[in-house]
mmCIF file of all heavy atoms in Angstrom:
data_model
loop_
_atom_site.group_PDB
_atom_site.id
_atom_site.type_symbol
_atom_site.label_atom_id
_atom_site.label_comp_id
_atom_site.label_asym_id
_atom_site.label_seq_id
_atom_site.Cartn_x
_atom_site.Cartn_y
_atom_site.Cartn_z
ATOM 1 N N ASP Y 134 -11.503 22.744 -2.008
ATOM 2 C CA ASP Y 134 -11.198 23.312 -0.692
ATOM 3 C C ASP Y 134 -11.195 22.220 0.369
ATOM 4 O O ASP Y 134 -10.500 22.325 1.368
ATOM 5 C CB ASP Y 134 -12.243 24.369 -0.313
ATOM 6 C CG ASP Y 134 -12.214 25.537 -1.284
ATOM 7 O OD1 ASP Y 134 -11.116 25.835 -1.799
ATOM 8 O OD2 ASP Y 134 -13.287 26.124 -1.558
ATOM 9 N N ARG Y 135 -12.051 21.211 0.182
ATOM 10 C CA ARG Y 135 -12.123 20.141 1.185
ATOM 11 C C ARG Y 135 -12.667 18.874 0.541
ATOM 12 O O ARG Y 135 -13.286 18.920 -0.517
ATOM 13 C CB ARG Y 135 -13.013 20.569 2.357
ATOM 14 C CG ARG Y 135 -14.443 20.804 1.941
ATOM 15 C CD ARG Y 135 -15.272 21.437 3.071
ATOM 16 N NE ARG Y 135 -16.597 21.812 2.579
ATOM 17 C CZ ARG Y 135 -17.641 21.002 2.574
ATOM 18 N NH1 ARG Y 135 -17.559 19.785 3.044
ATOM 19 N NH2 ARG Y 135 -18.805 21.414 2.101
ATOM 20 N N SER Y 136 -12.411 17.750 1.218
ATOM 21 C CA SER Y 136 -12.994 16.469 0.825
ATOM 22 C C SER Y 136 -13.708 15.911 2.038
ATOM 23 O O SER Y 136 -13.273 16.151 3.168
ATOM 24 C CB SER Y 136 -11.905 15.493 0.390
ATOM 25 O OG SER Y 136 -11.405 15.842 -0.880
ATOM 26 N N PRO Y 137 -14.795 15.153 1.875
ATOM 27 C CA PRO Y 137 -15.420 14.783 0.613
ATOM 28 C C PRO Y 137 -16.037 15.985 -0.104
ATOM 29 O O PRO Y 137 -16.532 16.908 0.543
ATOM 30 C CB PRO Y 137 -16.493 13.781 1.029
ATOM 31 C CG PRO Y 137 -16.811 14.092 2.460
ATOM 32 C CD PRO Y 137 -15.522 14.599 3.047
ATOM 33 N N ILE Y 138 -15.985 15.950 -1.430
ATOM 34 C CA ILE Y 138 -16.462 17.061 -2.249
ATOM 35 C C ILE Y 138 -17.955 16.873 -2.531
ATOM 36 O O ILE Y 138 -18.348 15.862 -3.099
ATOM 37 C CB ILE Y 138 -15.729 17.085 -3.605
ATOM 38 C CG1 ILE Y 138 -14.211 16.948 -3.428
ATOM 39 C CG2 ILE Y 138 -16.086 18.334 -4.371
ATOM 40 C CD1 ILE Y 138 -13.463 16.780 -4.756
ATOM 41 N N PRO Y 139 -18.782 17.851 -2.141
ATOM 42 C CA PRO Y 139 -20.190 17.768 -2.522
ATOM 43 C C PRO Y 139 -20.399 18.364 -3.928
ATOM 44 O O PRO Y 139 -19.534 19.081 -4.427
ATOM 45 C CB PRO Y 139 -20.886 18.632 -1.467
ATOM 46 C CG PRO Y 139 -19.853 19.650 -1.088
ATOM 47 C CD PRO Y 139 -18.490 19.039 -1.324
ATOM 48 N N GLU Y 140 -21.533 18.090 -4.542
ATOM 49 C CA GLU Y 140 -21.784 18.568 -5.912
ATOM 50 C C GLU Y 140 -21.814 20.094 -6.006
ATOM 51 O O GLU Y 140 -21.569 20.656 -7.080
ATOM 52 C CB GLU Y 140 -23.103 18.005 -6.460
ATOM 53 C CG GLU Y 140 -23.050 16.547 -6.865
ATOM 54 C CD GLU Y 140 -23.221 15.567 -5.699
ATOM 55 O OE1 GLU Y 140 -23.267 16.012 -4.533
ATOM 56 O OE2 GLU Y 140 -23.301 14.353 -5.977
ATOM 57 N N ASP Y 141 -22.141 20.773 -4.897
ATOM 58 C CA ASP Y 141 -22.222 22.232 -4.990
ATOM 59 C C ASP Y 141 -20.901 22.917 -4.611
ATOM 60 O O ASP Y 141 -20.859 24.122 -4.377
ATOM 61 C CB ASP Y 141 -23.395 22.768 -4.144
ATOM 62 C CG ASP Y 141 -23.276 22.376 -2.668
ATOM 63 O OD1 ASP Y 141 -22.248 21.745 -2.278
ATOM 64 O OD2 ASP Y 141 -24.202 22.699 -1.894
ATOM 65 N N ALA Y 142 -19.827 22.157 -4.586
ATOM 66 C CA ALA Y 142 -18.499 22.755 -4.355
ATOM 67 C C ALA Y 142 -18.158 23.657 -5.547
ATOM 68 O O ALA Y 142 -18.707 23.495 -6.635
ATOM 69 C CB ALA Y 142 -17.460 21.642 -4.216
ATOM 70 N N PRO Y 143 -17.228 24.625 -5.341
ATOM 71 C CA PRO Y 143 -16.842 25.491 -6.459
ATOM 72 C C PRO Y 143 -16.287 24.686 -7.641
ATOM 73 O O PRO Y 143 -15.611 23.680 -7.440
ATOM 74 C CB PRO Y 143 -15.725 26.359 -5.856
ATOM 75 C CG PRO Y 143 -15.865 26.251 -4.386
ATOM 76 C CD PRO Y 143 -16.544 24.953 -4.088
ATOM 77 N N LEU Y 144 -16.606 25.154 -8.855
ATOM 78 C CA LEU Y 144 -16.146 24.465 -10.065
ATOM 79 C C LEU Y 144 -15.026 25.290 -10.688
ATOM 80 O O LEU Y 144 -15.252 26.421 -11.104
ATOM 81 C CB LEU Y 144 -17.313 24.313 -11.045
ATOM 82 C CG LEU Y 144 -18.510 23.542 -10.472
ATOM 83 C CD1 LEU Y 144 -19.675 23.525 -11.459
ATOM 84 C CD2 LEU Y 144 -18.115 22.120 -10.073
ATOM 85 N N ARG Y 145 -13.824 24.763 -10.668
ATOM 86 C CA ARG Y 145 -12.686 25.513 -11.216
ATOM 87 C C ARG Y 145 -11.678 24.545 -11.825
ATOM 88 O O ARG Y 145 -10.578 24.379 -11.291
ATOM 89 C CB ARG Y 145 -12.051 26.419 -10.170
ATOM 90 C CG ARG Y 145 -11.970 25.756 -8.825
ATOM 91 C CD ARG Y 145 -11.481 26.679 -7.743
ATOM 92 N NE ARG Y 145 -11.293 25.879 -6.569
ATOM 93 C CZ ARG Y 145 -11.625 26.234 -5.331
ATOM 94 N NH1 ARG Y 145 -12.122 27.420 -5.085
ATOM 95 N NH2 ARG Y 145 -11.421 25.422 -4.325
ATOM 96 N N PRO Y 146 -12.087 23.910 -12.938
ATOM 97 C CA PRO Y 146 -11.183 22.952 -13.586
ATOM 98 C C PRO Y 146 -9.881 23.634 -13.987
ATOM 99 O O PRO Y 146 -9.874 24.796 -14.379
ATOM 100 C CB PRO Y 146 -11.972 22.499 -14.818
ATOM 101 C CG PRO Y 146 -13.020 23.544 -15.031
ATOM 102 C CD PRO Y 146 -13.334 24.106 -13.686
ATOM 103 N N ALA Y 147 -8.783 22.872 -13.893
ATOM 104 C CA ALA Y 147 -7.459 23.472 -14.051
ATOM 105 C C ALA Y 147 -6.818 23.163 -15.399
ATOM 106 O O ALA Y 147 -5.652 23.493 -15.597
ATOM 107 C CB ALA Y 147 -6.552 22.967 -12.922
ATOM 108 N N ASN Y 148 -7.562 22.556 -16.317
ATOM 109 C CA ASN Y 148 -6.967 22.234 -17.622
ATOM 110 C C ASN Y 148 -8.081 22.149 -18.669
ATOM 111 O O ASN Y 148 -9.267 22.093 -18.331
ATOM 112 C CB ASN Y 148 -6.184 20.915 -17.527
ATOM 113 C CG ASN Y 148 -7.030 19.827 -16.907
ATOM 114 O OD1 ASN Y 148 -8.053 19.434 -17.444
ATOM 115 N ND2 ASN Y 148 -6.623 19.370 -15.724
ATOM 116 N N PRO Y 149 -7.694 22.158 -19.969
ATOM 117 C CA PRO Y 149 -8.723 22.141 -21.027
ATOM 118 C C PRO Y 149 -9.642 20.926 -20.951
ATOM 119 O O PRO Y 149 -10.841 21.042 -21.229
ATOM 120 C CB PRO Y 149 -7.900 22.135 -22.320
ATOM 121 C CG PRO Y 149 -6.613 22.796 -21.935
ATOM 122 C CD PRO Y 149 -6.347 22.387 -20.518
ATOM 123 N N TYR Y 150 -9.122 19.755 -20.570
ATOM 124 C CA TYR Y 150 -9.996 18.581 -20.452
ATOM 125 C C TYR Y 150 -11.126 18.869 -19.460
ATOM 126 O O TYR Y 150 -12.306 18.689 -19.756
ATOM 127 C CB TYR Y 150 -9.186 17.356 -19.993
ATOM 128 C CG TYR Y 150 -10.052 16.203 -19.566
ATOM 129 C CD1 TYR Y 150 -10.815 15.507 -20.506
ATOM 130 C CD2 TYR Y 150 -10.154 15.822 -18.222
ATOM 131 C CE1 TYR Y 150 -11.644 14.458 -20.107
ATOM 132 C CE2 TYR Y 150 -10.974 14.774 -17.832
ATOM 133 C CZ TYR Y 150 -11.715 14.100 -18.771
ATOM 134 O OH TYR Y 150 -12.530 13.077 -18.376
ATOM 135 N N GLY Y 151 -10.749 19.313 -18.264
ATOM 136 C CA GLY Y 151 -11.759 19.602 -17.239
ATOM 137 C C GLY Y 151 -12.708 20.714 -17.688
ATOM 138 O O GLY Y 151 -13.918 20.647 -17.457
ATOM 139 N N ARG Y 152 -12.151 21.733 -18.366
ATOM 140 C CA ARG Y 152 -13.029 22.819 -18.840
ATOM 141 C C ARG Y 152 -13.986 22.309 -19.909
ATOM 142 O O ARG Y 152 -15.123 22.760 -19.986
ATOM 143 C CB ARG Y 152 -12.186 23.990 -19.344
ATOM 144 C CG ARG Y 152 -11.653 24.851 -18.192
ATOM 145 C CD ARG Y 152 -11.014 26.150 -18.675
ATOM 146 N NE ARG Y 152 -9.674 25.955 -19.183
ATOM 147 C CZ ARG Y 152 -8.561 25.916 -18.433
ATOM 148 N NH1 ARG Y 152 -8.645 26.083 -17.121
ATOM 149 N NH2 ARG Y 152 -7.388 25.729 -18.981
ATOM 150 N N SER Y 153 -13.535 21.348 -20.735
ATOM 151 C CA SER Y 153 -14.455 20.822 -21.763
ATOM 152 C C SER Y 153 -15.643 20.131 -21.091
ATOM 153 O O SER Y 153 -16.782 20.248 -21.555
ATOM 154 C CB SER Y 153 -13.717 19.870 -22.723
ATOM 155 O OG SER Y 153 -13.479 18.588 -22.149
ATOM 156 N N LYS Y 154 -15.397 19.440 -19.972
ATOM 157 C CA LYS Y 154 -16.500 18.776 -19.259
ATOM 158 C C LYS Y 154 -17.449 19.812 -18.651
ATOM 159 O O LYS Y 154 -18.668 19.664 -18.697
ATOM 160 C CB LYS Y 154 -15.940 17.856 -18.165
ATOM 161 C CG LYS Y 154 -15.169 16.656 -18.698
ATOM 162 C CD LYS Y 154 -16.073 15.706 -19.462
ATOM 163 C CE LYS Y 154 -15.349 14.486 -19.969
ATOM 164 N NZ LYS Y 154 -16.186 13.646 -20.842
ATOM 165 N N LEU Y 155 -16.868 20.866 -18.064
ATOM 166 C CA LEU Y 155 -17.711 21.890 -17.446
ATOM 167 C C LEU Y 155 -18.537 22.631 -18.501
ATOM 168 O O LEU Y 155 -19.724 22.919 -18.297
ATOM 169 C CB LEU Y 155 -16.832 22.862 -16.644
ATOM 170 C CG LEU Y 155 -17.594 23.953 -15.893
ATOM 171 C CD1 LEU Y 155 -18.665 23.376 -14.970
ATOM 172 C CD2 LEU Y 155 -16.618 24.816 -15.084
ATOM 173 N N MET Y 156 -17.922 22.934 -19.645
ATOM 174 C CA MET Y 156 -18.679 23.609 -20.717
ATOM 175 C C MET Y 156 -19.888 22.772 -21.131
ATOM 176 O O MET Y 156 -20.980 23.296 -21.328
ATOM 177 C CB MET Y 156 -17.782 23.809 -21.939
ATOM 178 C CG MET Y 156 -16.764 24.914 -21.772
ATOM 179 S SD MET Y 156 -15.747 24.974 -23.273
ATOM 180 C CE MET Y 156 -14.434 26.019 -22.706
ATOM 181 N N VAL Y 157 -19.670 21.460 -21.271
ATOM 182 C CA VAL Y 157 -20.788 20.590 -21.670
ATOM 183 C C VAL Y 157 -21.850 20.585 -20.585
ATOM 184 O O VAL Y 157 -23.055 20.700 -20.874
ATOM 185 C CB VAL Y 157 -20.292 19.162 -21.973
ATOM 186 C CG1 VAL Y 157 -21.469 18.210 -22.150
ATOM 187 C CG2 VAL Y 157 -19.415 19.145 -23.219
ATOM 188 N N GLU Y 158 -21.431 20.486 -19.330
ATOM 189 C CA GLU Y 158 -22.428 20.515 -18.235
ATOM 190 C C GLU Y 158 -23.291 21.781 -18.327
ATOM 191 O O GLU Y 158 -24.511 21.736 -18.195
ATOM 192 C CB GLU Y 158 -21.726 20.502 -16.869
ATOM 193 C CG GLU Y 158 -21.140 19.164 -16.452
ATOM 194 C CD GLU Y 158 -20.867 19.118 -14.942
ATOM 195 O OE1 GLU Y 158 -21.212 20.088 -14.227
ATOM 196 O OE2 GLU Y 158 -20.310 18.100 -14.477
ATOM 197 N N GLN Y 159 -22.616 22.922 -18.551
ATOM 198 C CA GLN Y 159 -23.355 24.186 -18.578
ATOM 199 C C GLN Y 159 -24.295 24.252 -19.776
ATOM 200 O O GLN Y 159 -25.436 24.702 -19.680
ATOM 201 C CB GLN Y 159 -22.368 25.357 -18.576
ATOM 202 C CG GLN Y 159 -21.655 25.478 -17.233
ATOM 203 C CD GLN Y 159 -20.471 26.435 -17.237
ATOM 204 O OE1 GLN Y 159 -19.855 26.657 -18.291
ATOM 205 N NE2 GLN Y 159 -20.148 26.981 -16.082
ATOM 206 N N ALA Y 160 -23.816 23.772 -20.926
ATOM 207 C CA ALA Y 160 -24.655 23.809 -22.134
ATOM 208 C C ALA Y 160 -25.868 22.893 -21.969
ATOM 209 O O ALA Y 160 -26.989 23.241 -22.369
ATOM 210 C CB ALA Y 160 -23.825 23.389 -23.345
#
Side-chain angles (χ1 to χ4, degrees):
D134 297 328
R135 63 189 173 88
S136 286
I138 312 172
E140 285 82 354
D141 58 4
L144 302 175
R145 40 186 187 221
N148 51 63
Y150 168 69
R152 281 190 281 276
S153 77
K154 293 294 182 187
L155 183 55
M156 285 178 193
V157 170
E158 285 198 4
Q159 290 169 334

